Amino acid sequence: MTRPFRAARLLAVACTALAALAAQADIVIGQVAPLSGVLGSTGKQMVVGGDIYFRHVNANGGVHGQAIKVLVADDGYKVPETVRLTKEMLDKPEVVALYGFAGTSNISQLLADRVLEQGGAALVAPYTGGEPLRSPFNPWIFHVRAGYADEAEHMVAQLTTLGMNRIAVMYQDDGFGQAGLAGVEAAVARRKLELVAKAGYERNTDKVSDAVKAIKAADPQAIIMVAINKPAAAFVKQYREAGGGAQLFNISVVDPAEIVKLAGVKHAHGLGISQVVPYPYTPKLPAIREYQQLLKKYAPGEHVNYTSFEQFLGAKVLVEGLRRAGPNPTRAKVIKALESISNFDLGGLMVSYGPQARVGSQFVEVTVIGAGGRLLK
């Protein structure tokens, strides 16, 4: 064999090997998140939390030698856009799973239109605690967080223990808000009580003045808000400026720093916020230490917050599912792999799934915005 022929043959073998490697180089994940609109700041943190962990995994050899690639699309928190973009994601055969969507109404529509069923892909760690996504059982959605009903029970239990029985609810008038409202109503009814008032506001707006008037007129001792950042902040500011003195709570989906920025610390001080993952500001748990280190390394301009930490934990769940699915995973293999996760330690928070179990954790605790604007445990 002549030297030129040998060299050409070696080159051909090398090119074939590289082509084979390239053909299986990426594990592709789809994420549809609200990067614009009223939930834009939250959507950004959702993407950050997953991105820092996926980059860490890729920097350490990927999953079975394959890198993770995330396709991110902005739905603006608009239900039709969520449906359209998800269909586009699932039309790509290389997408093996979905991750980190937001919005009870948005994801409920995916179930109603059978988008997830027809696509046959798992949706891991959606940023919602809506009960319609949990009951009746569906096999497509793997929740990392507790549900809004769990959060409502925790808040109502705390309030009634303190003798606060006159409770009102301010809620977003859509699937998200109604799910939270139903959770509070059920928790109150278990104590043989009734809400003294409930008032909604229109989705994708911060028009809460009517809700402020209706709830203030009922003179509650405590108000539980089922709202996102901008309308929650608007309600806090307007209610306090109107002289309202009730204890305020909000369900977990808000960013306390954004609330302080929009409402002002004078008004936001004392706001209680239920949380569905451990307090991420103090590195007491292994998962928190890892999260803080990777945030500093891969997103040094970002600050620690609950949203990015929750999605970081969700990314860990997804990666464990991909690892268990083996090389070159398929949508069906990923679902079976996620089902096999039981008593899995994310670094201080345990998650478990199964063939008929899709709620990984029911952890809930309450935090409060302190006098200096910082979130306290």
Side-chain angles (χ1 to χ4, degrees):
M1 185 182 294
T2 64
R3 183 173 296 173
F5 182 79
R6 188 184 302 113
R9 184 176 179 184
L10 289 172
L11 180 61
V13 170
C15 288
T16 300
L18 287 171
L21 181 63
Q24 56 92 52
D26 292 332
I27 298 172
V28 183
I29 306 301
Q31 180 174 19
V32 177
L35 302 179
S36 61
V38 295
L39 213 60
S41 61
T42 296
K44 177 185 176 184
Q45 291 304 319
M46 290 171 61
V47 172
V48 167
D51 180 65
I52 61 173
Y53 190 69
F54 296 137
R55 289 173 67 182
H56 167 69
V57 170
N58 289 344
N60 287 275
V63 180
H64 299 296
Q66 295 175 268
I68 298 171
K69 179 181 178 181
V70 184
L71 305 178
V72 180
D74 174 22
D75 64 5
Y77 196 47
K78 298 174 182 176
V79 173
E81 281 297 282
T82 307
V83 173
R84 181 183 70 82
L85 293 168
T86 304
K87 286 180 177 178
E88 288 183 3
M89 292 281 188
L90 292 175
D91 282 342
K92 303 176 189 294
E94 66 271 25
V95 173
V96 299
L98 303 173
Y99 159 83
F101 285 35
T104 301
S105 294
N106 306 62
I107 302 169
S108 291
Q109 196 62 50
L110 296 179
L111 292 177
D113 292 352
R114 300 177 61 197
V115 175
L116 300 180
E117 179 182 349
Q118 291 168 3
L123 169 55
V124 179
Y127 192 69
T128 167
E131 291 305 311
L133 308 180
R134 298 156 183 259
S135 179
F137 173 83
N138 74 79
W140 316 111
I141 304 176
F142 289 80
H143 301 274
V144 175
R145 58 155 50 219
Y148 295 145
D150 299 312
E151 295 183 58
E153 172 61 27
H154 195 93
M155 287 187 283
V156 171
Q158 182 168 317
L159 288 170
T160 54
T161 298
L162 296 172
M164 296 185 186
N165 296 323
R166 293 180 53 77
I167 299 171
V169 174
M170 191 280 283
Y171 65 99
Q172 182 164 293
D173 195 7
D174 69 349
F176 154 61
Q178 289 155 10
L181 171 63
V184 179
E185 288 180 321
V188 167
R190 279 192 287 273
R191 292 158 176 84
K192 302 188 185 310
L193 300 171
E194 293 183 359
L195 296 176
V196 298
K198 53 185 177 182
Y201 68 90
E202 185 181 350
R203 177 189 174 92
N204 279 323
T205 74
D206 59 1
K207 298 176 182 178
V208 298
S209 57
D210 289 344
V212 170
K213 292 175 185 175
I215 289 177
K216 186 173 182 299
D219 193 26
Q221 295 169 298
I223 303 167
I224 295 176
M225 298 183 290
V226 188
I228 59 176
N229 289 334
K230 290 184 179 179
F235 184 90
V236 169
K237 187 172 188 292
Q238 292 178 35
Y239 177 74
R240 292 301 191 214
E241 287 178 344
Q247 171 63 53
L248 299 178
F249 278 91
N250 204 98
I251 218 153
S252 61
V253 296
V254 291
D255 178 354
E258 187 78 359
I259 297 293
V260 171
K261 177 182 175 183
L262 295 173
V265 68
K266 173 184 175 182
H267 303 305
H269 171 221
L271 173 66
I273 303 173
S274 58
Q275 307 293 353
V276 293
V277 295
Y279 188 76
Y281 300 93
T282 305
K284 291 183 177 180
L285 298 177
I288 298 171
R289 290 194 290 272
E290 182 183 30
Y291 158 73
Q292 290 188 359
Q293 290 165 2
L294 296 182
L295 190 70
K296 184 176 181 180
K297 180 176 182 179
Y298 292 111
E302 300 294 338
H303 299 291
V304 169
N305 72 33
Y306 271 99
T307 302
S308 61
F309 181 52
E310 179 181 330
Q311 295 304 116
F312 169 82
L313 294 174
K316 295 192 76 169
V317 169
L318 176 54
V319 169
E320 178 62 18
L322 294 173
R323 186 188 68 76
R324 295 185 185 206
N328 301 309
T330 64
R331 294 175 185 180
K333 285 180 180 178
V334 171
I335 288 176
K336 286 294 183 185
L338 289 165
E339 284 182 347
S340 75
I341 295 175
S342 179
N343 294 320
F344 182 66
D345 187 0
L346 296 175
L349 182 71
M350 305 295 289
V351 294
S352 290
Y353 302 103
Q356 295 296 316
R358 292 293 187 268
V359 180
S361 167
Q362 291 182 304
F363 174 92
V364 180
E365 66 181 11
V366 173
T367 55
V368 65
I369 295 177
R374 298 187 63 182
L375 196 65
L376 307 175
K377 185 175 176 181

